[in-house]
Amino acid sequence: MDKVSHITLEPAVTPKSASSSHNLCITFYEDRNFGGRSYDCSSDCSDLSSYLSHCYSCRVHSGCFMLYDRPNYMGNQYFVKRGEYPDCMSMGMSDWFRSCRMIPMVNSLTVMRIYERENFGGQMMKMMDGSLPLMTDDCDSFMDRYRWSNCMSCHAMDGHWLMYEQPHYRGRMRYFWPGEYRSFDGMKFMSMRRIMDSWY
């Protein structure tokens, strides 16, 4: 997987933290296969090196998180949900986990407008029935469904989303929360899916 340097693709407002009642928790370990010292995290962490000398594995006890291979939520992004991740290298990382962002649970409809060009230009994606200029479901290929070669801007209106560079949810990914994204800093996306409450 190619390395991406200093790309955040964030709107002006960061995602609101989930209520503590959700008890979202992830444990990071210094070594592979959950060895070495550990650090329990239940919120955003901009620099894991403040707690561990390095971090090569993790367990997600509950919730969903985005992991980054650079501090301050920069670089390549990796989505994790409840489960065990014994080796970050098997996830396609070329380095260890450097920062972590908690993804809050959203008990609402997921709604997204996506555009063919930057700055909300070109065609806007519509639902398959054509009833509304909105997207509320997953799309495993923009090309197959809409004959688009890529997506270059979006407006996440509700919910939390993952976009992927390749069809069928493959390749590098990016996390989007409610806000306007006028450009993706040169990246282009070919598929997208919702982050579901059932994953928590």
Side-chain angles (χ1 to χ4, degrees):
M1 184 175 291
D2 296 334
K3 196 173 187 67
V4 180
S5 299
H6 306 299
I7 294 179
T8 54
L9 307 183
E10 298 179 359
V13 179
T14 56
K16 295 180 179 179
S17 297
S19 169
S20 59
S21 63
H22 291 155
N23 296 319
L24 308 186
C25 182
I26 182 172
T27 301
F28 293 99
Y29 299 85
E30 283 189 326
D31 300 328
R32 294 174 176 84
N33 297 310
F34 320 113
R37 294 189 305 153
S38 64
Y39 167 61
D40 292 331
C41 180
S42 57
S43 62
D44 296 347
C45 181
S46 62
D47 190 354
L48 288 167
S49 66
S50 299
Y51 305 95
L52 301 172
S53 59
H54 46 262
C55 179
Y56 285 102
S57 58
C58 68
R59 282 191 175 103
V60 180
H61 305 287
S62 60
C64 298
F65 297 81
M66 291 305 297
L67 307 181
Y68 303 78
D69 60 9
R70 292 177 181 259
N72 299 312
Y73 320 115
M74 303 181 82
N76 290 317
Q77 302 183 14
Y78 303 85
F79 173 77
V80 292
K81 57 184 178 180
R82 187 169 56 249
E84 297 188 341
Y85 302 83
D87 185 356
C88 64
M89 299 298 179
S90 67
M91 300 169 61
M93 297 189 74
S94 58
D95 205 348
W96 45 279
F97 305 132
R98 300 291 185 127
S99 53
C100 166
R101 173 163 275 158
M102 179 180 61
I103 301 176
M105 183 182 290
V106 178
N107 296 312
S108 65
L109 182 69
T110 54
V111 182
M112 170 83 85
R113 281 196 179 105
I114 69 173
Y115 298 82
E116 192 178 17
R117 300 285 179 255
E118 293 184 341
N119 294 309
F120 313 131
Q123 293 185 342
M124 179 173 62
M125 179 171 286
K126 297 184 178 181
M127 292 176 62
M128 292 186 68
D129 63 5
S131 60
L132 290 171
L134 303 171
M135 182 171 181
T136 61
D137 59 345
D138 300 343
C139 180
D140 63 1
S141 174
F142 296 152
M143 175 60 75
D144 290 347
R145 187 186 292 188
Y146 299 101
R147 297 296 182 263
W148 283 16
S149 59
N150 53 66
C151 165
M152 298 180 65
S153 59
C154 71
H155 179 193
M157 303 172 70
D158 282 296
H160 296 257
W161 301 77
L162 298 172
M163 282 197 188
Y164 300 79
E165 278 193 318
Q166 299 176 24
H168 307 294
Y169 319 122
R170 295 179 300 172
R172 293 181 298 179
M173 68 176 69
R174 285 294 176 268
Y175 163 47
F176 295 87
W177 59 84
E180 295 184 346
Y181 302 81
R182 293 184 172 274
S183 72
F184 301 148
D185 292 343
M187 293 190 71
K188 300 176 181 179
F189 296 104
M190 291 295 297
S191 57
M192 64 185 294
R193 71 190 337 168
R194 300 159 293 167
I195 297 176
M196 307 293 291
D197 286 351
S198 60
W199 296 353
Y200 289 74

